[in-house]
Amino acid sequence: MGAMTPVEGAIDEKAVAAEAEKALEDIARIKTETAKAIFGQEAVVEQALLAVLSGGHALLVGVPGLAKTKLVATLATVLGLSTSRIQFTPDLMPSDILGSEVMDQDASGKRSFRFVKGPVFTELLMADEINRASPRTQSALLQAMQEYHVTITGQPYALPQPFHVLATQNPLEQEGTYPLPEAQLDRFLMEIDVEYPDLDAERRILLETTGVRESVVEPVIASARLQEIQTLIRRMPVSESVLDAILKLVRSARPGNGNEFADQKVAWGPGPRAGQALMLTARARALYEGRFAPSVDDVIALAGPVLQHRMALTFAARADGVSMKEVIAKLVAPLRG
């Protein structure tokens, strides 16, 4: 591993290692408990957990029926988080998410306004089919995701801590949807592709979910412990080689930065928030896999979920049938050397 960056070189590595040892045990138990309810989606479970452990939000993209909702409910239980679910529809209003003021009258007849909190006031929010809501409602939620508070009639109300949004989106449905603008997509730490399960996993799903009993998961940690792990991840050291790999990858994905392939295929590339996301998730992945510091392999593994919603293809690339995954794979290739 290369030399540490100046800021991270001052970190008490022994203290971090001692805390990481405890966190490894908790994460191992989280993985084991989650596997009782979610079958054959190891990569999806890993990436969703990495997003939460990194303190961010994630967008789950997949066709209906792939256990996206069950995954969120399972993670909420295992991580000891309060949870609520919003089913997005075109007629959903911002007040349906954030809450609204109602008028109360006491025994003496005096009237006053009281704020009734909406479902956003939770620790893990399931935003189901977020692209079905109008832009006005989407922006209300996404502002809460960014600011971690809501403002009603000029009065700010802080959201619970930790606060995470796991949103879903159906890639096939286009009618009656409002695609998220690029600036709002950038608020999601990761975009996670939820694929069909393999044969063995689907066989297990059929056997274990159609009987009299279904697996029940139990809490492994509490929300306070999750926050401790999130703080630990931010304290983990990052080598110069990993930092350089992140900078090289993010900057190469921007047209006009000397990468001929990106100039031809990419209309616009990721901003600095992509680098921040890679720094955090690479650390989280290292801890998730039992290591105390991230490697370049972590950056390579997370390039897809971190970059794919922060880039756009040129018209010529789309006309040629080039996919975003192919572009990212090409940009990542030099890091494998």
Side-chain angles (χ1 to χ4, degrees):
M1 185 171 67
M4 297 299 166
T5 60
V7 172
E8 289 151 348
I11 291 174
D12 185 343
E13 293 187 22
K14 290 184 178 179
V16 172
E19 290 182 39
E21 288 281 3
K22 298 177 183 177
L24 291 178
E25 297 176 8
D26 288 333
I27 291 173
R29 289 163 52 219
I30 289 169
K31 292 161 67 173
T32 300
E33 194 68 20
T34 304
K36 292 180 181 178
I38 306 298
F39 316 127
Q41 296 282 13
E42 289 83 3
V44 174
V45 171
E46 175 184 327
Q47 291 170 18
L49 272 170
L50 293 184
V52 174
L53 292 173
S54 301
H57 315 289
L59 181 64
L60 304 171
V61 179
V63 299
L66 296 182
K68 298 186 293 296
T69 303
K70 187 171 185 178
L71 170 62
V72 178
T74 299
L75 292 182
T77 300
V78 172
L79 298 174
L81 303 176
S82 62
T83 184
S84 59
R85 177 189 177 196
I86 303 172
Q87 181 67 50
F88 280 73
T89 58
D91 60 348
L92 199 70
M93 299 296 291
S95 59
D96 296 326
I97 297 173
L98 307 181
S100 59
E101 288 194 323
V102 298
M103 182 174 287
D104 284 342
Q105 181 172 316
D106 61 20
S108 65
K110 182 180 179 180
R111 295 179 178 178
S112 61
F113 284 102
R114 175 173 57 89
F115 177 60
V116 178
K117 294 180 178 180
V120 74
F121 286 87
T122 190
E123 292 172 331
L124 184 61
L125 178 66
M126 170 66 162
D128 217 351
E129 294 189 287
I130 189 173
N131 57 326
R132 284 197 174 280
S134 67
R136 180 183 178 188
T137 303
Q138 288 177 3
S139 63
L141 173 63
L142 291 159
Q143 181 183 14
M145 290 166 54
Q146 181 67 17
E147 305 297 335
Y148 292 96
H149 73 265
V150 302
T151 303
I152 306 295
T153 62
Q155 177 68 35
Y157 296 90
L159 293 172
Q161 291 298 322
F163 173 68
H164 302 282
V165 174
L166 295 182
T168 70
Q169 189 168 285
N170 178 357
L172 302 180
E173 200 73 55
Q174 299 299 325
E175 292 186 14
T177 63
Y178 302 86
L180 291 172
E182 288 77 12
Q184 295 182 358
L185 281 172
D186 197 31
R187 298 294 188 266
F188 289 98
L189 191 72
M190 303 169 72
E191 179 182 305
I192 302 169
D193 292 328
V194 185
E195 308 288 352
Y196 290 110
D198 59 30
L199 177 60
D200 291 339
E202 192 160 4
R203 180 189 299 274
R204 187 180 173 193
I205 291 170
L206 296 181
L207 290 173
E208 298 201 20
T209 61
T210 59
V212 176
R213 294 184 179 180
E214 286 194 43
S215 299
V216 177
V217 297
E218 301 291 338
V220 172
I221 61 173
S223 59
R225 177 56 179 152
L226 174 61
Q227 289 181 285
E228 291 175 358
I229 296 174
Q230 290 171 341
T231 301
L232 168 65
I233 285 170
R234 286 180 172 269
R235 294 175 59 206
M236 290 174 64
V238 177
S239 68
E240 288 286 354
S241 61
V242 172
L243 178 60
D244 289 343
I246 291 172
L247 287 169
K248 181 179 179 181
L249 174 61
V250 171
R251 295 180 67 82
S252 71
R254 300 169 186 162
N257 269 273
N259 188 306
E260 185 179 349
F261 179 77
D263 291 343
Q264 294 174 353
K265 306 298 183 184
V266 179
W268 51 266
R273 193 176 278 128
Q276 294 171 330
L278 281 169
M279 285 282 283
L280 284 171
T281 54
R283 287 165 160 150
R285 186 174 187 267
L287 192 63
Y288 188 86
E289 295 196 341
R291 292 176 279 113
F292 298 153
S295 68
V296 175
D297 288 339
D298 295 314
V299 178
I300 293 170
L302 293 166
V306 168
L307 296 180
Q308 62 186 348
H309 60 299
R310 292 184 165 99
M311 301 167 59
L313 298 175
T314 61
F315 177 79
R318 286 184 277 122
D320 291 340
V322 177
S323 70
M324 185 61 74
K325 288 184 178 180
E326 292 172 344
V327 171
I328 293 174
K330 183 77 171 180
L331 294 172
V332 164
L335 301 182
R336 299 183 186 277

